[in-house]
Amino acid sequence: KHLCPTDLHIIIIMNALVPSFILFILLIASVAATVVFFHFQLHSLRLTYQGDIATVNDSLRQVQSQQSTYVQQVKTLTKLVSESLNATDEYIQNITNTVSETKDVITENMATVQDIQHDQNSLMAVQFAGMFTLLVILVSGYHLSQHVRHMHSPVVQRKIMAVLWMTPIYSMSCWLSMVFVNAE
């Protein structure tokens, strides 16, 4: 068989193109396999990341739930502490008021006791003064009566009797000034 130059040209072109075409097909197959491989890898990563994102979202929801629980517990504790502080403030105020009232009552009672003690001391002083005034009157009266009965030297005895009259008069005026303090 004879080949015409056109056929020969086609054969040469075919011989030159067939390996290139095979290489091109192999290249396209390789690129397609790589694209498919990367597509599966990307799909696998996407599924993994979606699973990770779902896990993170679940964890985030749990943290938010715990946070809201903690916020509620903090609000409850704040309320309890506030109520406790208010109750403590009221208790302290009541104690302060009670102490103040008790202090006032004790001060009044002390003043009353001091007045009573002063009155008792005054009464005791008046009683002692009255007793000694009575004693002075009796002793002076006895001596005066003895001088009047036994009048042997009237000039001297009259001066003695004048001196003896001074003590009952002076003691009586002192005792009356103690009994009637406000008298002028």
Side-chain angles (χ1 to χ4, degrees):
K1 277 180 156 189
H2 286 281
L3 297 170
C4 71
T6 331
D7 288 333
L8 192 60
H9 193 283
I10 291 177
I11 291 176
I12 291 174
I13 290 176
M14 289 294 272
N15 281 340
L17 285 179
V18 168
S20 296
F21 183 69
I22 291 174
L23 283 175
F24 179 72
I25 293 207
L26 284 176
L27 179 67
I28 288 180
S30 163
V31 167
T34 304
V35 167
V36 168
F37 175 75
F38 280 126
H39 175 71
F40 284 125
Q41 287 293 328
L42 184 63
H43 183 67
S44 172
L45 286 174
R46 185 179 298 140
L47 290 177
T48 303
Y49 288 143
Q50 285 176 348
D52 290 344
I53 289 172
T55 304
V56 167
N57 284 336
D58 289 342
S59 297
L60 182 62
R61 278 189 223 99
Q62 287 177 353
V63 167
Q64 287 173 341
S65 173
Q66 288 175 348
Q67 181 184 12
S68 67
T69 303
Y70 292 150
V71 166
Q72 187 63 31
Q73 289 175 349
V74 166
K75 286 180 182 179
T76 304
L77 285 175
T78 303
K79 182 180 176 183
L80 288 173
V81 166
S82 176
E83 289 173 358
S84 176
L85 286 175
N86 288 339
T88 303
D89 287 344
E90 284 181 26
Y91 182 70
I92 289 173
Q93 187 63 34
N94 288 341
I95 288 175
T96 304
N97 290 341
T98 303
V99 166
S100 178
E101 290 170 2
T102 305
K103 183 180 176 184
D104 292 343
V105 168
I106 288 173
T107 303
E108 289 174 12
N109 287 343
M110 284 179 59
T112 304
V113 167
Q114 286 174 350
D115 289 343
I116 290 171
Q117 184 181 9
H118 177 69
D119 291 345
Q120 285 178 349
N121 288 341
S122 297
L123 181 63
M124 192 174 4
V126 168
Q127 288 174 348
F128 276 124
M131 181 181 70
F132 285 114
T133 299
L134 187 61
L135 183 66
V136 165
I137 290 171
L138 290 175
V139 170
S140 292
Y142 173 75
H143 282 291
L144 283 170
S145 68
Q146 290 300 319
H147 278 287
V148 169
R149 280 191 198 153
H150 305 287
M151 188 68 77
H152 298 300
S153 47
V155 176
V156 175
Q157 284 182 315
R158 270 188 287 158
K159 291 183 183 176
I160 292 174
M161 286 172 40
V163 171
L164 283 175
W165 272 108
M166 282 186 199
T167 55
I169 293 171
Y170 181 72
S171 66
M172 184 60 98
S173 67
C174 288
W175 181 74
L176 288 174
S177 70
M178 287 181 72
V179 170
F180 303 108
V181 177
N182 295 328
E184 288 188 20

